[in-house]
Amino acid sequence: MADKKNQVSRRQFLNYTLTGVGGFMGAAMIAPMVGFAVDPLLKGEKDTDYVYVMDVNEITNEPQRKTFQVDQVDGWYESKVDRTAWVYKDENDEILALSPVCTHLGCTVDWNSNQDFPNEFYCPCHDGRYDKNGVNIPGTPPTEPLHSYDFQIQDGKLMLGKAKARKGA
Amino acid sequence: MLQKMYDWIDERLDITPIWRDIADHEVPEHVNPAHHFSAFVYCFGGLTFFVTVIQVLSGMFLTMYYVPDIVNAWESVKYLQTQVAHGQIVRGMHHWGASVVIVMIFLHTLRVFFQGAYKKPRELNWIVGVLLFFVMLGLGFTGYLLPWDNKAFFATQVGLEIAESVPFIGGDLKTLLAGDPEIVGAKTLARFFAIHVFFLPAALFALMGAHFIMIRRQGISGPL
């Protein structure tokens, strides 16, 4: 049997077929379970709704802290969760709505709250600082500017969407 | 590649005798369906084990989404079945496998009984097998409540009343199972979940270990 060149012996043949068929059956069993487990990766990002926060004519040059609620669907649990934004107009009269989440490690920043650093966004956790445009001040822990909310203006009302990293701010 | 990795480990740890000891054993001719087709009856024990493995695996994955809480249990089952990838298949495996495993155990028991394979020296293994059967029924009973739908609730209600009908200790037995003398609710569900995923599987694995060690030690009973 095995003395002819390149011939598969009976034992090898059985090994290959049994391993192959067994492997196939095992894979068929495991595959749906793995898909089940990695489902959060397959879900992708959800569309965000824009939520009313304040009237445009109330926006000042001084950052105002605004809280609003968004609907959150967390698997089988649906709830409303609070979001906060610092809303103001910058020196070019452009509207900015900044997320208060520090880009260092995610603490909450406050405007003009530290006497040593007036007119800055200040993070109490590790002395992270941002200038009035929300740009991180070199030499402090944050590595990028505060994220800004996407916004829309409908009939003079400011509607906020998702907070995203700012390009080149 | 694989062979080289194996050799590297084997050279240092000498692992070959360990698995050889487990894997090398002769399958007698009278239990080999290739020789006598009627020998397929010897497969039911192995099939029971196979389905048990599927139950353990699918159950592990189901607990990634399931929560044993009366407010969320049903919603989480609905979510994992309808929204999660392959959820219907994974839950289906666990649901149908639960019935199949009982059927397989029953067929395995019939074979052992009618062949008289339980007789000396295998009495102990028969006893362990019966205990395994009870553990499996317990898994079925506790698992039935977990989806927390109407069928689950009322089936458990009935099951608990059966437990209550036991003379003298029935009342206490029911309270112990349900976690409350009257209510079938939050405490019952949490308790049944704990029993279903921790206590009974632990007992199951221990008994299966004993079952397999004994059959390996004593060998399969001879031909009729």
Side-chain angles (χ1 to χ4, degrees):
Chain A
M1 274 183 260
D3 47 357
K4 282 187 202 162
K5 263 184 195 168
N6 297 327
Q7 224 177 0
V8 179
S9 70
R10 177 190 288 248
R11 177 173 287 263
Q12 267 178 324
F13 174 77
L14 279 173
N15 260 337
Y16 292 159
T17 46
L18 287 177
T19 317
V21 172
F24 182 78
M25 283 169 64
M29 204 172 91
I30 291 294
M33 300 186 199
V34 172
F36 185 79
V38 302
D39 178 74
L41 291 178
L42 310 175
K43 279 273 193 287
E45 276 191 49
K46 283 173 226 153
D47 297 339
T48 35
D49 294 329
Y50 284 82
V51 181
Y52 168 75
V53 174
M54 68 190 297
D55 291 338
V56 172
N57 57 24
E58 289 174 350
I59 300 176
T60 58
N61 288 96
E62 181 74 5
Q64 296 178 64
R65 189 173 185 275
K66 289 286 167 187
T67 53
F68 56 106
Q69 287 197 314
V70 294
D71 292 312
Q72 181 176 278
V73 181
D74 177 15
W76 54 90
Y77 182 72
E78 292 177 22
S79 59
K80 286 187 179 294
V81 290
D82 288 336
R83 293 263 187 276
T84 305
W86 289 99
V87 185
Y88 60 101
K89 285 179 184 160
D90 63 13
E91 50 265 43
N92 306 323
D93 257 7
E94 306 245 9
I95 294 173
L96 262 181
L98 296 181
S99 157
V101 179
C102 183
T103 56
H104 176 221
L105 290 172
C107 291
T108 305
V109 302
D110 209 348
W111 168 252
N112 210 3
S113 61
N114 189 316
Q115 290 167 345
D116 296 337
F117 308 112
N119 291 318
E120 285 181 8
F121 290 100
Y122 176 76
C123 181
C125 292
H126 306 95
D127 294 324
R129 289 154 57 201
Y130 306 82
D131 65 19
K132 197 186 167 187
N133 289 320
V135 178
N136 51 311
I137 292 171
T140 69
T143 54
E144 56 170 324
L146 289 171
H147 291 188
S148 70
Y149 286 95
D150 287 339
F151 64 86
Q152 291 174 351
I153 293 166
Q154 290 168 7
D155 307 326
K157 294 177 194 305
L158 179 71
M159 318 280 280
L160 293 189
K162 211 175 220 169
K164 287 180 182 155
R166 286 192 289 167
K167 294 170 216 127
Chain B
M1 177 66 184
L2 275 178
Q3 185 66 42
K4 276 197 170 162
M5 283 166 65
Y6 178 84
D7 289 342
W8 191 89
I9 297 170
D10 194 41
E11 193 187 339
R12 276 142 250 260
L13 294 171
D14 195 24
I15 55 173
T16 301
I18 301 173
W19 68 262
R20 275 277 172 208
D21 194 49
I22 296 167
D24 279 354
H25 64 291
E26 263 180 55
V27 178
E29 191 186 309
H30 73 279
V31 305
N32 187 343
H35 287 275
H36 312 281
F37 183 67
S38 62
F40 73 85
V41 293
Y42 286 97
C43 291
F44 294 130
L47 287 172
T48 307
F49 177 66
F50 177 63
V51 182
T52 304
V53 170
I54 293 182
Q55 291 304 98
V56 171
L57 284 174
S58 56
M60 279 164 56
F61 281 92
L62 285 173
T63 56
M64 281 190 166
Y65 296 94
Y66 176 77
V67 280
D69 164 71
I70 52 171
V71 178
N72 291 301
W74 189 85
E75 290 289 346
S76 70
V77 173
K78 186 187 174 202
Y79 175 80
L80 74 85
Q81 180 170 343
T82 59
Q83 306 295 314
V84 178
H86 308 119
Q88 196 155 25
I89 296 174
V90 178
R91 189 180 169 213
M93 286 165 94
H94 206 71
H95 174 100
W96 295 106
S99 296
V100 173
V101 84
I102 300 286
V103 170
M104 288 300 160
I105 284 197
F106 186 64
L107 292 172
H108 177 59
T109 311
L110 283 183
R111 188 226 103 203
V112 171
F113 181 77
F114 282 110
Q115 290 191 338
Y118 55 85
K119 290 175 187 170
K120 192 185 173 188
R122 298 186 176 79
E123 308 98 311
L124 254 184
N125 218 2
W126 171 267
I127 291 168
V128 169
V130 171
L131 292 177
L132 273 168
F133 182 58
F134 289 149
V135 167
M136 214 46 110
L137 289 182
L139 282 163
F141 177 60
T142 50
Y144 208 76
L145 179 70
L146 301 185
W148 201 246
D149 53 12
N150 265 296
K151 189 171 68 165
F153 179 82
F154 286 106
T156 301
Q157 194 92 298
V158 171
L160 290 173
E161 273 173 39
I162 293 172
E164 200 177 13
S165 68
V166 173
F168 306 114
I169 59 161
D172 289 344
L173 194 61
K174 186 200 164 195
T175 307
L176 197 61
L177 277 171
D180 190 283
E182 278 150 35
I183 308 165
V184 177
K187 285 172 286 185
T188 319
L189 184 58
R191 202 161 257 264
F192 271 44
F193 179 73
I195 295 171
H196 187 77
V197 304
F198 291 114
F199 293 86
L200 288 181
L204 188 78
F205 295 152
L207 288 169
M208 282 199 311
H211 208 60
F212 297 158
I213 289 169
M214 280 193 257
I215 192 66
R216 178 49 76 78
R217 195 127 190 112
Q218 301 178 318
I220 297 169
S221 59
L224 295 176

